[in-house]
Amino acid sequence: MTHPFTPRLAGIVACAALIAGCASSKGPNQTSYDFGPIGMPAATQAAPATSAFPALVVADVTGPAMLDNQRMFYRLLYADAQQSRPYAYNQWSATPLQLLSQRLKARIAQGGIKVLSTTDASGGVPLLRLEADEFSQNFDSVTQSSATITLRASVFRSHRLVDQRTFTRTLPASSADAPGGARALAAASDAVAADILAWLATLPAQ
């Protein structure tokens, strides 16, 4: 059964086109975004307590297939929250999973933990696995959006699970477009990293 193209539906389609189109002022030229320079953690973030882990093997972040490509996606929560839409002329410089891996490892290292890769690990070093459940820019209206990151973190020692926790951060975007979403997602990743460091500090050393 087909539905008539009502004025309300026309408005929703027009809004979606506006959001996708306004993300770039360069027409058909692609614009790439990343999380920006690592720098130091924001001054407003409390310094985490000393971790019980002097060193950690930090595996690359894993997640759903849609986060393993460079396209930038958004959702119109006010129109169809089940549909993920790509920006027309904006993309990530690397996949979201790669960007998250790089950022989280850097932030964990800044927290005073020696970060080892899975290929560099020596026996007995605990392993931190990170799985991305959500990485999205969500529009509550045509002019207002936010970024949400949800990560499930698991610590293993000698192949046994020490603890597991899920972290979620949602931050408002400074602008309702792709640049605003990129900035908000970078900030959300830093906030999740701070939460993970605080959690690691509560785990037993042995």
Side-chain angles (χ1 to χ4, degrees):
M1 177 179 179
T2 59
H3 296 276
F5 193 69
T6 64
R8 181 178 182 275
L9 180 59
I12 291 174
V13 172
C15 289
L18 173 62
I19 291 171
C22 73
S24 173
S25 60
K26 299 181 179 180
N29 294 329
Q30 286 282 347
T31 302
S32 296
Y33 296 91
D34 57 24
F35 283 174
I38 297 297
M40 295 301 294
T44 55
Q45 288 185 4
T50 302
S51 174
F53 304 101
L56 271 177
V57 176
V58 181
D60 289 340
V61 179
T62 60
M66 70 173 295
L67 299 183
D68 201 19
N69 68 81
Q70 293 175 240
R71 303 189 76 179
M72 294 184 75
F73 291 92
Y74 63 91
R75 292 181 186 273
L76 302 180
L77 300 185
Y78 61 89
D80 186 359
Q82 282 68 47
Q83 183 177 1
S84 183
R85 308 165 190 260
Y87 278 103
Y89 305 122
N90 301 274
Q91 64 180 11
W92 294 109
S93 61
T95 72
L97 295 179
Q98 291 171 328
L99 292 172
L100 281 171
S101 297
Q102 179 188 31
R103 194 71 161 202
L104 293 170
K105 289 179 181 180
R107 290 305 190 198
I108 291 171
Q110 282 184 338
I113 299 175
K114 294 181 175 64
V115 174
L116 305 178
S117 69
T118 52
T119 56
D120 297 334
S122 58
V125 179
L127 168 67
L128 174 63
R129 293 190 184 278
L130 299 166
E131 300 173 75
D133 291 328
E134 185 174 3
F135 179 93
S136 60
Q137 180 183 12
N138 300 315
F139 284 81
D140 294 315
S141 68
V142 178
T143 59
Q144 186 175 14
S145 73
S146 60
T148 296
I149 291 179
T150 299
L151 285 177
R152 184 165 58 256
S154 306
V155 172
F156 295 87
R157 185 185 285 114
S158 300
H159 304 290
R160 298 184 63 179
L161 179 65
V162 176
D163 197 9
Q164 182 182 90
R165 186 169 296 183
T166 298
F167 301 91
T168 297
R169 282 293 192 126
T170 298
L171 297 177
S174 58
S175 57
D177 51 17
R183 287 189 294 268
L185 284 164
S189 71
D190 288 342
V192 167
D195 292 341
I196 290 173
L197 281 167
W199 167 64
L200 292 174
T202 69
L203 300 183
Q206 300 296 329

